[in-house]
Amino acid sequence: MNSKLKSNRLATIRMLISSREMSSQNDVLEALKKEGYDITQATLSRDFKRMKVAKAATIKGNYVYVLPSETMYHRVNRPAMSASQMMNTPGFLSINFSGNMGVIKTRPGYASSIAYNIDNTDIPEILGTIAGDDTIFIALREGVRREEVIASLKPVIPNIQ
């Protein structure tokens, strides 16, 4: 399987789960189909396992899929755009540094997928990330200049400055 296609599918799943209340795999499969991904339930199950997707109770008592970094999560009832449109809209907002730490601010729901991409790009200047809903903490290697980090993040976050 094309790894870029799989990566795009996983990012689409993250966006769908972050932006909608979905309580069954069938809900997710139908939403994915509308986004151009026609996959089987078995493939979706493997994707969920890889992404560590879980179910959590809403305030109303319904169970919906959530991403592992969402300890406190919120949803929008009707997103203004499709998941593919959201993915083509940059989620990155800003980056700030203090010592060997960095904080990246994103649009709600984007932090997890951006952090995932950072972690899987093997950027030598970054030791690791921790992501919430709209914030990513990055631990920088000792002695690394901020300009080096920003330059290394360009392939992952094209609009970073």
Side-chain angles (χ1 to χ4, degrees):
M1 155 146 290
N2 181 335
S3 63
K4 184 170 173 74
L5 178 64
K6 183 176 183 177
S7 176
N8 289 344
R9 183 181 73 237
L10 294 175
T12 300
I13 291 170
R14 278 187 206 88
M15 289 307 307
L16 290 169
I17 290 173
S18 295
S19 65
R20 302 180 192 174
E21 286 190 358
M22 290 197 240
S23 57
S24 73
Q25 286 192 357
N26 195 48
D27 291 346
V28 179
L29 288 169
E30 287 184 25
L32 282 169
K33 190 173 270 192
K34 289 178 185 172
E35 297 295 332
Y37 297 94
D38 192 10
I39 63 170
T40 65
Q41 184 273 330
T43 299
L44 182 62
S45 289
R46 284 190 296 273
D47 289 347
F48 276 8
K49 185 174 183 178
R50 174 186 209 113
M51 296 165 46
K52 296 180 173 61
V53 171
K55 277 198 168 181
T58 65
I59 293 173
K60 298 175 191 170
N62 302 325
Y63 284 86
V64 296
Y65 290 112
V66 294
L67 297 170
S69 63
E70 296 180 90
T71 53
M72 295 291 287
Y73 63 93
H74 60 279
R75 308 260 184 239
V76 293
N77 289 337
R78 295 205 181 273
M81 57 181 87
S82 70
S84 58
Q85 288 171 313
M86 283 188 229
M87 286 173 44
N88 290 327
T89 304
F92 170 80
L93 297 177
S94 66
I95 185 168
N96 289 291
F97 298 95
S98 178
N100 70 331
M101 299 178 291
V103 174
I104 298 173
K105 291 300 222 172
T106 71
R107 291 184 27 221
Y110 279 79
S112 180
S113 60
I114 292 173
Y116 176 84
N117 290 335
I118 291 170
D119 289 339
N120 286 292
T121 304
D122 294 323
I123 298 170
E125 294 83 359
I126 297 176
L127 297 173
T129 65
I130 300 173
D133 184 50
D134 62 359
T135 305
I136 304 167
F137 167 81
I138 56 175
L140 308 178
R141 197 168 295 284
E142 191 104 14
V144 173
R145 292 189 355 245
R146 296 168 184 183
E147 296 79 18
E148 292 176 85
V149 174
I150 290 172
S152 296
L153 285 169
K154 281 241 183 243
V156 178
I157 309 170
N159 61 330
I160 193 170
Q161 297 182 16

